[in-house]
Amino acid sequence: MGTNPLGAEELVTVAVVDDHQVVLDGIRAWIHQDQPARIHVLADGGQIDSVLAGPGGRADVLILDLGLFGGSVADRVAELAERHRVVVFSAERSDETIRAVLAAGAVAYLTKDEGKEHFIGTVLAAAEDRAYVTPSVARAMLGDTSPHRPRLSDQERRALLLWFQLPKKQAVATQMGISVETVDQYIGRARAKYLDSGRQAGNKAAMVARAIEDGLIRPEDVR
Amino acid sequence: MATVTAAALARAQRYARGPLIGAIVVAGAWHVGNDLLGIATGWHTYRAAWVALAAWWLFTITGTFASVQLLRAAPMSALVPIAGTMVLLAAVAANAVAISPQQNFALAHWGWASFAWFAMLLWWRHPLRWLGAAMLANIAVTFAALVITRDLSRIDVARIIMVFYGAGAIQLGVAAGGKALENTARRASQISSAEMVLATNREAAQRIHTDRRRRYRDIGHDVRQLLAGLAASTLDPGAEHVQQRCGVQAARLRRLLAEHDDSPSPLLHELRACATNAERNGVAVTLEAVGVEPDLPVKVRRALCEVPIHLLAATRTQARLTVVCTQEPIQVDISVVADAGALPQAMPAPAEIEMFASREEELLWVRTRWAPRSS
């Protein structure tokens, strides 16, 4: 992680790959508006390899658009996730794609309509190997009917459902009659179960370790 | 169509019962009136009367078993008629051996002539050629038994052939007639089933048509009232409640049109139509769905759309509409979060749908849930 101009706190560094300049500019604007500054863009551009060739290769988090110049780079996620914490930021919203990309090792998935609030939170969580569950990821988890899907508890499922339906965690907490922190725990635990049920790709091991450290899952739960 | 065929089959089997019962009664009456009488009257002439009586009982047991199975329409393994035929042939041979040489054509030698009645019952559900084969086996066994135990003259052989012909032709005729009747009954009942399906479809289409016309009339009535009010200036187009009424009616018309479309997810399709209408009124709507939509009756879909229609019409700038369908248990959960001023008072809550609303700061959240009554 880099340092901010005051040198007091470490900055999370990111590399951004998107083929639309307006998106790259938009992301820089969001990061710039985040005060105090917590994120620093090391490199950005439309080509994965050229962005990662320079300083971008050292970034804490790689923000990746799936649709580049008319083609999909979803099949490169697994390979990229071996060396980077990949956060997918895409206009593609299908549950299948979200589940496939997360299974391939992406740390998080943000759809482009999920906006600034989720963006900053997702990047900061990813840098710490923590899973940030966006409503679109909650939807993909709720819609999973594969036989290998993990068993969620009623509370975990309810938290995911409400997080999908309601715009704010506070509203979810109010509906469940619990604190926002507990809501986060339920959602985080559901995501950790997914991490554990998928194959151990990319940063998943680090994320599982973090989930254990955070008390979301127990070491003996890991298969 | 599978159920129709099954129903047709059941009806055909019912029609085919008549010839079957007839055949059982004839075989039973013949066995008592002819065979038992033959044993009783020729009791002292037999070489071994008890063998003839045992053969009679073998016939009785086999025939009764076959009749019960056929009348109960119980599934019968192909081994049953084969084993039954073996038993009958053994009884035929026993009867032929038990009679004295003078009784070849007497009533006491009843087995060979009665065989076909019982074989007909055993092979009732099989093609006629099997019954034919069993009858040939009867001829072979009878001949063998007679040839081994006595000398036969050429006249005897000619008479034996005549008896076989006379006895066999009747049973073959009855069996063939029964089959023909069954086939005709099956065809007739298939045709009548197809006609019933056609009539049902026609009736259903007529009802749907009438229902749509009625709904269109109802909605048209509300819309006309609204337009008349606006034209006569009794309604203020600037008033929020008038705008809401306009929004609701427009969404209902859109939904009614969407209801006619052929879509794999009709509910989502209709909700999308509602959302599109709200977007035209300047509301930013996100519509998200999870899961596979269960088959919902049109009535339920309509009811489920009512709450979003009313809430979206009252929404100022943005709304999030989510649909969650689950299979276990079967459930549809629709949620609308919107910056709507207040829960519209006129909003109906249909009986089969559970609804609850809550407010979180400026956002109103209304959730409706449907599950089939049985679950």
Side-chain angles (χ1 to χ4, degrees):
Chain A
M1 298 190 189
T3 51
N4 68 7
L6 298 174
E9 235 183 292
E10 286 198 326
L11 283 175
V12 169
T13 56
V14 296
V16 189
V17 179
D18 198 295
D19 57 342
H20 290 109
Q21 190 59 44
V22 66
V23 176
L24 297 176
D25 290 348
I27 290 175
R28 280 184 180 273
W30 284 348
I31 289 173
H32 184 69
Q33 284 164 15
D34 179 42
Q35 290 301 330
R38 289 176 289 180
I39 303 171
H40 175 61
V41 180
L42 283 185
D44 62 6
Q47 303 283 352
I48 298 173
D49 297 319
S50 58
V51 168
L52 293 178
R58 299 195 315 272
D60 298 322
V61 178
L62 169 62
I63 294 158
L64 178 69
D65 181 15
L66 285 185
L68 294 180
F69 303 106
S72 170
V73 295
D75 55 352
R76 289 201 59 188
V77 171
E79 160 222 334
L80 292 168
E82 293 295 330
R83 284 169 289 119
H84 307 275
R85 297 183 186 94
V86 178
V87 168
V88 173
F89 185 49
S90 172
E92 168 65 50
R93 306 171 72 248
S94 84
D95 290 357
E96 291 77 20
T97 304
I98 296 176
R99 285 196 292 265
V101 164
L102 293 179
V107 177
Y109 198 109
L110 266 165
T111 58
K112 282 190 172 160
D113 58 352
E114 279 175 324
K116 176 183 159 191
E117 181 196 342
H118 293 302
F119 183 89
I120 301 288
T122 304
V123 170
L124 294 176
E128 294 181 340
D129 294 318
R130 285 196 169 92
Y132 187 99
V133 177
T134 51
S136 58
V137 170
R139 186 194 65 210
M141 285 158 76
L142 285 169
D144 190 358
T145 52
S146 81
H148 309 297
R149 67 185 188 277
R151 279 186 73 87
L152 302 182
S153 73
D154 288 347
Q155 289 294 71
E156 287 159 5
R157 202 176 156 73
R158 181 145 185 253
L160 273 184
L161 177 62
L162 289 169
W163 179 223
F164 168 61
Q165 292 175 324
L166 294 170
K168 291 213 160 62
K169 287 252 171 80
Q170 182 55 57
V172 177
T174 309
Q175 286 303 321
M176 293 184 75
I178 54 178
S179 69
V180 173
E181 289 71 26
T182 315
V183 170
D184 273 332
Q185 269 200 354
Y186 283 133
I187 294 173
R189 198 177 295 159
R191 176 76 175 96
K193 284 181 177 176
Y194 266 84
L195 278 175
D196 190 32
S197 75
R199 64 191 178 87
Q200 295 292 311
N203 284 85
K204 280 190 178 176
M207 291 179 75
V208 171
R210 178 63 86 173
I212 293 170
E213 193 184 329
D214 289 350
L216 295 176
I217 50 175
R218 290 172 303 180
E220 55 268 34
D221 294 334
V222 179
R223 281 171 291 175
Chain B
M1 288 308 282
T3 50
V4 172
T5 314
L9 197 69
R11 219 168 308 151
Q13 278 168 350
R14 222 163 42 234
Y15 283 121
R17 242 176 125 76
L20 172 65
I21 292 171
I24 292 171
V25 169
V26 170
W30 185 261
H31 193 50
V32 174
N34 182 76
D35 306 349
L36 193 59
L37 190 70
I39 293 172
T41 53
W43 187 259
H44 299 293
T45 63
Y46 279 111
R47 290 202 297 184
W50 62 270
V51 174
L53 189 61
W56 188 87
W57 274 111
L58 284 178
F59 263 65
T60 308
I61 292 164
T62 309
T64 307
F65 178 75
S67 303
V68 170
Q69 293 294 96
L70 287 171
L71 288 174
R72 284 170 55 200
M76 220 189 321
S77 149
L79 290 174
V80 172
I82 292 173
T85 305
M86 298 294 192
V87 171
L88 292 181
L89 288 173
V92 165
N95 182 223
V97 172
I99 53 169
S100 59
Q102 297 75 32
Q103 289 177 309
N104 287 350
F105 302 101
L107 211 52
H109 189 195
W110 48 269
W112 59 326
S114 297
F115 171 88
W117 284 115
F118 287 79
M120 183 184 71
L121 296 180
L122 284 171
W123 295 99
W124 189 259
R125 287 187 197 153
H126 297 267
L128 279 181
R129 59 178 178 274
W130 293 106
L131 175 59
M135 287 163 72
L136 286 176
N138 176 38
I139 295 172
V141 166
T142 308
F143 258 118
L146 293 180
V147 167
I148 291 167
T149 54
R150 68 212 65 192
D151 295 326
L152 290 178
S153 67
R154 284 167 66 184
I155 294 170
D156 287 339
V157 173
R159 285 181 70 187
I160 288 170
I161 291 169
M162 271 181 64
V163 171
F164 276 127
Y165 176 76
I170 298 169
Q171 288 91 353
L172 275 176
V174 170
K179 289 223 175 299
L181 199 65
E182 190 179 336
N183 287 340
T184 311
R186 182 180 290 134
R187 265 204 306 283
S189 116
Q190 271 168 353
I191 290 168
S192 92
S193 290
E195 279 174 353
M196 270 168 66
V197 169
L198 206 65
T200 311
N201 286 348
R202 197 185 301 127
E203 171 75 17
Q206 186 64 44
R207 281 188 191 183
I208 289 170
H209 181 64
T210 313
D211 184 45
R212 279 182 182 160
R213 283 182 69 93
R214 186 184 54 73
R215 275 183 51 77
Y216 183 74
R217 215 171 39 240
D218 291 350
I219 294 174
H221 174 74
D222 293 348
V223 171
R224 270 196 301 279
Q225 266 195 339
L226 203 56
L227 290 175
L230 289 168
S233 299
T234 50
L235 292 176
D236 174 13
E240 198 175 331
H241 76 277
V242 175
Q243 288 176 356
Q244 273 183 25
R245 272 181 68 187
C246 290
V248 167
Q249 296 310 334
R252 277 184 173 161
L253 278 173
R254 270 193 161 273
R255 208 205 63 75
L256 187 65
L257 292 175
E259 187 181 300
H260 294 236
D261 298 344
D262 187 16
S263 161
S265 315
L267 175 65
L268 204 57
H269 183 65
E270 288 167 28
L271 285 172
R272 202 168 280 130
C274 303
T276 307
N277 195 69
E279 279 167 347
R280 287 184 175 199
N281 295 332
V283 178
V285 186
T286 40
L287 171 57
E288 302 243 24
V290 174
V292 181
E293 201 176 301
D295 277 339
L296 295 172
V298 179
K299 212 176 89 191
V300 172
R301 288 210 313 266
R302 250 175 229 159
L304 280 169
C305 286
E306 275 299 305
V307 171
I309 283 177
H310 279 85
L311 199 54
L312 289 176
T315 301
R316 282 192 290 270
T317 61
Q318 54 177 319
R320 179 172 171 80
L321 177 54
T322 55
V323 184
V324 179
C325 301
T326 51
Q327 299 297 323
E328 292 168 13
I330 296 176
Q331 196 171 291
V332 179
D333 187 331
I334 297 180
S335 140
V336 191
V337 184
D339 57 345
L343 195 63
Q345 284 182 345
M347 189 154 63
E352 62 269 64
I353 288 165
E354 200 185 331
M355 181 186 100
F356 63 92
S358 71
R359 178 170 285 285
E360 191 75 35
E361 295 167 7
E362 80 281 13
L363 293 176
L364 182 61
W365 181 38
V366 182
R367 196 172 168 195
T368 44
R369 197 161 47 198
W370 172 87
R373 289 223 169 118
S374 53
S375 73

